[in-house]
Amino acid sequence: MAPSGMLLTVGVIGLLHAAWSATEHRHHLKMRSETFDSLPADILMEALVFFLIAVVAVVRKKTAELEPINAVYNLNLKTADNVFQAPSFYTYAHRGRGLFATIRD
């Protein structure tokens, strides 16, 4: 298994353990008839640390799949006419139509 896959497994198992610990904490509070205010700091820290580990693992795994962008390679595939086209500059309703309409008639 790749290091990022193993790291992701550790992160997910750690998050599951933090969730289990939170559930057990709530269960013990119910047994003692105490009100739930918040989770203990150790459970919160455990969840935060393992969440960050899982995020780092996913980012490492996905960045390994990315390919660098090579603009020169992409431009070599196109002709000069295609590269320098600017459709936003095309104008079909210009005053030349009115100026030269009398010449054609």
Side-chain angles (χ1 to χ4, degrees):
M1 185 182 295
S4 59
M6 192 176 302
L7 203 60
L8 181 61
T9 304
V10 168
V12 169
I13 290 173
L15 280 174
L16 290 174
H17 183 266
W20 181 263
S21 298
T23 305
E24 286 293 313
H25 176 71
R26 295 280 307 257
H27 177 71
H28 289 297
L29 288 179
K30 281 184 183 178
M31 286 180 55
R32 291 185 289 192
S33 300
E34 295 180 15
T35 60
F36 175 75
D37 295 328
S38 67
L39 290 173
D42 62 333
I43 296 176
L44 291 175
M45 287 303 295
E46 177 184 6
L48 179 67
V49 166
F50 283 114
F51 175 74
L52 291 176
I53 288 173
V55 167
V56 167
V58 169
V59 168
R60 283 186 62 192
K61 190 171 188 169
K62 287 299 174 185
T63 53
E65 297 173 4
L66 297 177
E67 296 178 7
I69 298 173
N70 190 351
V72 174
Y73 175 75
N74 291 336
L75 286 176
N76 286 338
L77 296 177
K78 297 180 179 182
T79 64
D81 292 333
N82 290 341
V83 171
F84 296 116
Q85 277 187 352
S88 60
F89 290 116
Y90 294 167
T91 307
Y92 297 105
H94 52 78
R95 62 182 153 200
R97 184 183 311 155
L99 290 173
F100 297 109
T102 55
I103 297 174
R104 279 189 256 150
D105 292 338

